[in-house]
């Protein structure tokens, strides 16, 4: 530190020379803690949750979860919505393979049998780094590759009836594992009639249309699905072969797509 008093009444030149001085600081220790400040929120559900909340399709069955919604596109079919984003703004992956059926158009839904789902992980928030640039809104990760316990055999039969559309639904799953080899068999079938409604008319563009017998015409359908898994597992690696088929035939109620006409609402 340098100090010098200067009298401003004299006209003089001053030369001040400062000397270098080195200061060495002691070692600095930095301690950090990991905090998760991500906007993503993860929810996991199992097969029992799907069965208890079954609503005709996988998207509708998940609709009761916070942040989840479903856009109905007809009877027995819908598109998933996460925090208001759907279509190409979210990714649906089954066993790591992206399913793009619900991204094609307004009348395409998930081509996945909800009764054969084992576990689902729902990531609400951007997952683009792990699942690709389409996962802006979130990810629905479906896991159907759970490995059975050694030397076990299990068979499960599920039967359901829905009175709103006389839906008879049956599903069966069977798996068996020896020491290292195992297989899984899954199948389901659903057959339903036109949906019942509590009214006999509806209004569309200031026009009133009659609903005959309080049943929405052309909302019946059938669905038959099956899946087969063959696998090998040991301490070194695991390999699973998946073969599945999703078959659905469903009608669209007049007015759900396009402008309805009175002739399309008359019962067959």
């Amino acid at each position: 530190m340098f100090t010098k008093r200067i009298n401003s009444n004299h006209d003089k030149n001053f030369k001040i020379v400062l000397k270098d001085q080195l200061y060495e600081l002691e070692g600095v220790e930095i301690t950090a803690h990991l905090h998760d400040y991500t906007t993503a929120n993860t929810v996991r559900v199992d097969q029992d949750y799907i069965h208890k909340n079954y609503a005709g399709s996988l998207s509708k069955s998940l609709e009761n979860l916070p942040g989840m919604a479903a856009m109905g596109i007809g009877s027995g079919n819908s598109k998933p919505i996460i925090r208001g984003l759907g279509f190409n703004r979210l990714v649906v992956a089954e066993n790591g393979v992206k399913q793009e059926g619900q991204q094609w158009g307004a009348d395409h839904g998930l081509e996945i049998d909800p009764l054969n789902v084992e576990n689902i992980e729902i990531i609400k928030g951007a997952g683009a780094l792990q699942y690709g640039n389409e996962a802006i809104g979130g990810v629905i990760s479906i896991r159907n590759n759970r490995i059975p316990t050694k030397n076990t055999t299990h068979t499960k039969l599920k039967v359901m009836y829905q009175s709103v559309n006389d839906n008879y639904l049956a599903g069966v799953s069977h798996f068996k594992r020896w020491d290292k080899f195992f297989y899984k068999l899954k199948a389901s079938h659903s057959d339903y009639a036109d949906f019942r409604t509590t009214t006999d008319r509806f209004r569309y563009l200031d026009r009133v249309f009659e609903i005959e017998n309080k049943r929405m015409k052309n909302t019946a359908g059938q669905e038959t699905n099956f899946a087969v898994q063959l696998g090998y597992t040991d301490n070194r690696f695991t390999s699973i072969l998946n073969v599945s088929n999703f078959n659905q035939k469903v009608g669209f109620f007049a007015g759900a797509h396009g402008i309805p006409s009175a002739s399309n609402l008359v019962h067959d």
Side-chain angles (χ1 to χ4, degrees), residues 67-124:
M68 288 293 300
M71 185 182 74
I73 57 175
S75 57
N77 218 335
S78 57
K79 292 178 179 290
I81 305 294
I82 297 180
R83 290 177 175 174
L85 297 177
F87 289 86
N88 292 335
R89 295 298 183 265
L90 65 86
V91 167
V92 179
E94 184 178 12
N95 298 331
V97 179
K98 186 166 65 174
Q99 303 294 324
E100 299 180 341
Q102 56 93 22
Q103 300 177 348
W104 290 348
D107 52 355
H108 291 269
L110 287 180
E111 300 167 352
I112 296 175
D113 183 8
L115 295 183
N116 290 337
V117 172
E118 296 177 359
N119 292 285
I120 299 180
E121 182 183 49
I122 301 173
I123 303 173
K124 294 177 288 185

Side-chain angles (χ1 to χ4, degrees), residues 211-224:
I211 300 179
E212 188 171 336
N213 298 328
K214 293 185 178 182
R215 279 188 179 264
M216 301 171 64
K217 182 190 173 184
N218 199 33
T219 56
Q222 290 182 346
E223 186 174 322
T224 303

